[in-house]
Amino acid sequence: MAQSILDTMPGAATGTVLISDPLNFWGGKRVKPRQQTNAEPVFEPATGRVICQMIPCGAEEVDEAIKSAHAAYLQWSKLAGMERARVMLEAARIIRERREKIAKLEVINNGKSITEALVDIDVAWQCIEYYAGLAGTLAGQHIQLPGGSFAYTRREPLGVCVGIGAWNYPFQIASWKSAPALACGNAMVFKPSPMTPVTAVILAEIYKEAGVPDGLFCVVQGGADTGTLLCHHPTVAKVSFTGSVPTGKKVMEMSAKGVKQVTLELGGKSPLLIFKDCELENAVKGALMANFLTQGQVCCNGTRVYVQREIMPQFLEEVVKRTKAIPVGDPLLDGTRMGALISKPQLEKVLGFVNQAKKEGAKVLCGGEPIVPSDPKLKGGYFMAPCVLDNCRDDMTCVKEEIFGPVMSVLPFDTEEEVIGRANDTTFGLASGVFTRDISRAHRVAGNLEAGTCFINNYNISPVEVPFGGYKMSGFGRENGQVTIEYYSQLKTVVVEMGDVDSLF
């Protein structure tokens, strides 16, 4: 069981963990795959070692999981909001109690530093705690009508929701999707990324331990074929997807066939605007936070850094100095600030973007090459030196396309009007940022940037109380904040006649 793998975590080190427990979960327990075909190896990014096999779920298994979720939904949706809240608060408490063990397992499967993973697990329990607090507040309206008649609205759950996660924040995304779903009275079937299948099933076991009905949060493993089965299933009421734009389009298309509600949290190529009147020290720190968290594999990263020309030399000098000083290595060591990229193909793709940038005229100021750490057990890991690119233009591939790696592109600008036009000249619209001491400019720029989030004098801060989601091709719908309740519930109007029917016939 998961408790046993978690119990081995305190003594676990990079390069030592193997996982043999089944990774599917429904009916209140882990479920062994029906067949052993089409298995995909799951790697430890820091070493390149195979830690387990991911065996995708077929049609029968997906159907079984959804039936299990639907049976649980029928029980859970009948509970009062406060009853649901108590169970969710217990789940949050258990996660908080086991945060170090869960974070360690996350690092082994994902490659990010333990420092970051601990924050991710804290955000996960905070999210569940936050929606537990909202569960008891869900209410409708009373509307008075003529003659003593009246109407009222009821906020009701949707039913079985599907969550499809990404590999950059495996446990956190599972929590972000499940918490509002469960608070509203829904059940969820969650499919993690095939590259990070290990920790979502831990969340399923924690929900079970906290007291949810068996089947309320199910985990099915698999890739595109399993995702297709989930999107097409007639019992599914909603699909919430985090991932790339092309896959998001397919999810939307498949869900449309059953007229299912969809939330899409897709890619980004977000602009970060640094004006000459900024507090430079904070702007540099903000640019680093905007580019190098989780080895740069973050959808809302501010990878297009526009710096006002007058302060460009000072900014570049400082940002390069800080970037060169980032400790890259064993992600389980407390001193490490950058771990390994998720996979060998992803590392090669990111390095390819750097080479392409050089060909198009960009200048590499630091990094951009693979790193082989001195520790022999890390020799097969997917490490690279964080990279800063200068001499960039808006038409370069590195400025237009999402790289999803530790690569910062820096571009000069002269005026506010000019940089807003350039910042908005993209099909994406997930996030944006501005550094300035001018309060009027800060709010004016925030109002003019076409993105779902704008950070003023900071970057990549995601409190669970605040909605997160995109404009344009970065998707629609929101995660976190009160508004997300509306994306996991539906409104019923009840009209009550207190007199006689006034009929035309």
Side-chain angles (χ1 to χ4, degrees):
M1 291 295 288
Q3 200 49 40
S4 60
I5 185 73
L6 278 192
D7 284 341
T8 66
M9 283 299 109
T14 298
T16 63
V17 175
L18 291 171
I19 294 157
S20 55
D21 296 330
L23 298 171
N24 298 316
F25 193 98
W26 57 81
K29 61 184 187 300
R30 290 193 183 226
V31 183
K32 287 184 177 169
R34 291 264 170 88
Q35 72 285 322
Q36 299 294 317
T37 52
N38 303 319
E40 293 179 23
V42 177
F43 297 96
E44 177 178 35
T47 62
R49 236 175 23 107
V50 174
I51 52 170
C52 63
Q53 297 290 326
M54 188 285 298
I55 299 161
C57 288
E60 282 179 21
E61 290 161 301
V62 165
D63 192 53
E64 208 173 287
I66 289 172
K67 279 179 177 156
S68 167
H70 189 257
Y73 155 71
L74 294 176
Q75 292 178 57
W76 182 251
S77 59
K78 299 289 188 289
L79 298 181
M82 288 295 283
E83 292 175 299
R84 295 199 290 264
R86 277 194 287 275
V87 177
M88 291 176 69
L89 286 171
E90 176 62 7
R93 185 198 65 76
I94 297 167
I95 294 168
R96 195 159 59 240
E97 198 175 79
R98 299 180 194 158
R99 67 187 282 272
E100 285 86 2
K101 295 174 182 177
I102 300 168
K104 215 164 179 184
L105 189 58
E106 187 87 312
V107 169
I108 287 161
N109 190 192
N110 163 277
K112 70 172 68 187
S113 74
I114 186 70
T115 308
E116 276 193 59
L118 284 163
V119 175
D120 294 355
I121 307 308
D122 286 341
V123 169
W125 68 252
Q126 287 162 13
C127 182
I128 295 168
E129 195 172 78
Y130 174 75
Y131 283 107
L134 287 181
T137 70
L138 303 185
Q141 268 183 312
H142 176 277
I143 299 106
Q144 194 63 46
L145 299 174
S149 296
F150 62 94
Y152 63 92
T153 58
R154 292 166 48 99
R155 190 158 285 287
E156 298 185 348
L158 299 170
V160 177
C161 301
V162 161
I164 301 176
W167 46 257
N168 53 350
Y169 289 88
F171 192 87
Q172 183 179 299
I173 289 173
S175 304
W176 275 22
K177 293 190 188 302
S178 60
L182 269 54
C184 291
N186 303 289
M188 177 162 274
V189 179
F190 187 78
K191 188 194 81 65
S193 161
M195 288 194 273
T196 51
V198 174
T199 52
V201 69
I202 303 287
L203 179 62
E205 285 181 322
I206 288 170
Y207 277 135
K208 154 88 175 168
E209 192 179 331
V212 305
D214 287 352
L216 193 73
F217 181 77
C218 302
V219 177
V220 296
Q221 302 292 347
D225 290 348
T226 307
T228 299
L229 292 167
L230 289 166
C231 291
H232 282 311
H233 199 285
T235 307
V236 169
K238 178 203 169 87
V239 181
S240 176
F241 170 80
T242 299
S244 70
V245 174
T247 309
K249 286 178 179 175
K250 286 177 192 160
V251 166
M252 194 174 168
E253 191 180 333
M254 291 186 288
S255 302
K257 289 186 169 70
V259 197
K260 302 182 197 307
Q261 295 194 29
V262 179
T263 292
L264 298 177
E265 198 275 275
L266 308 178
K269 191 71 187 176
S270 301
L272 174 56
L273 280 49
I274 298 174
F275 286 88
K276 64 184 177 185
D277 67 345
C278 71
E279 168 57 64
L280 191 63
E281 167 77 4
N282 280 333
V284 169
K285 288 196 286 191
L288 296 171
M289 289 294 285
N291 281 272
F292 298 138
L293 287 176
T294 308
Q295 300 74 250
Q297 301 164 135
V298 182
C299 49
C300 53
N301 271 357
T303 50
R304 292 186 291 144
V305 181
Y306 291 96
V307 181
Q308 204 154 19
R309 204 176 296 275
E310 290 90 329
I311 59 163
M312 187 76 147
Q314 304 96 290
F315 175 83
L316 285 175
E317 184 186 351
E318 198 56 35
V319 94
V320 168
K321 187 172 85 180
R322 301 275 186 98
T323 302
K324 284 178 175 174
I326 294 172
V328 181
D330 187 340
L332 281 179
L333 297 180
D334 288 339
T336 298
R337 286 295 172 271
M338 186 175 286
L341 277 74
I342 189 69
S343 67
K344 197 165 199 285
Q346 181 66 17
L347 173 62
E348 288 167 353
K349 183 181 159 194
V350 174
L351 294 171
F353 270 111
V354 176
N355 287 332
Q356 178 70 18
K358 286 195 276 193
K359 282 181 194 161
E360 291 178 17
K363 185 180 174 189
V364 177
L365 298 184
C366 66
E369 71 280 340
I371 289 180
V372 180
S374 54
D375 186 339
K377 71 183 176 197
L378 306 176
K379 288 279 189 279
Y382 317 129
F383 298 93
M384 75 171 277
C387 177
V388 178
L389 296 174
D390 184 20
N391 209 33
C392 298
R393 300 183 315 274
D394 290 331
D395 62 352
M396 285 181 172
T397 308
C398 65
V399 177
K400 290 195 299 187
E401 293 185 22
E402 186 173 37
I403 296 175
F404 228 61
V407 181
M408 180 195 300
S409 299
V410 186
L411 305 97
F413 76 90
D414 294 301
T415 69
E416 179 184 323
E417 187 182 5
E418 164 224 334
V419 76
I420 287 170
R422 291 167 66 193
N424 287 337
D425 187 18
T426 172
T427 57
F428 295 112
L430 192 51
S432 58
V434 54
F435 276 83
T436 176
R437 286 182 180 141
D438 181 335
I439 190 167
S440 299
R441 173 187 282 140
H443 292 289
R444 188 168 61 239
V445 170
N448 284 318
L449 288 169
E450 295 164 0
T453 298
C454 182
F455 300 99
I456 295 176
N457 293 332
N458 209 331
Y459 205 94
N460 270 343
I461 308 298
S462 295
V464 296
E465 307 94 319
V466 176
F468 176 79
Y471 280 15
K472 300 194 273 193
M473 284 175 78
S474 290
F476 52 79
R478 289 295 177 266
E479 297 192 300
N480 294 342
Q482 287 185 37
V483 71
T484 298
I485 294 296
E486 295 176 22
Y487 294 101
Y488 281 99
S489 60
Q490 53 195 345
L491 214 54
K492 176 179 283 179
T493 300
V494 181
V495 182
V496 182
E497 176 58 65
M498 297 298 284
D500 294 326
V501 175
D502 184 9
S503 175
L504 290 174
F505 306 101

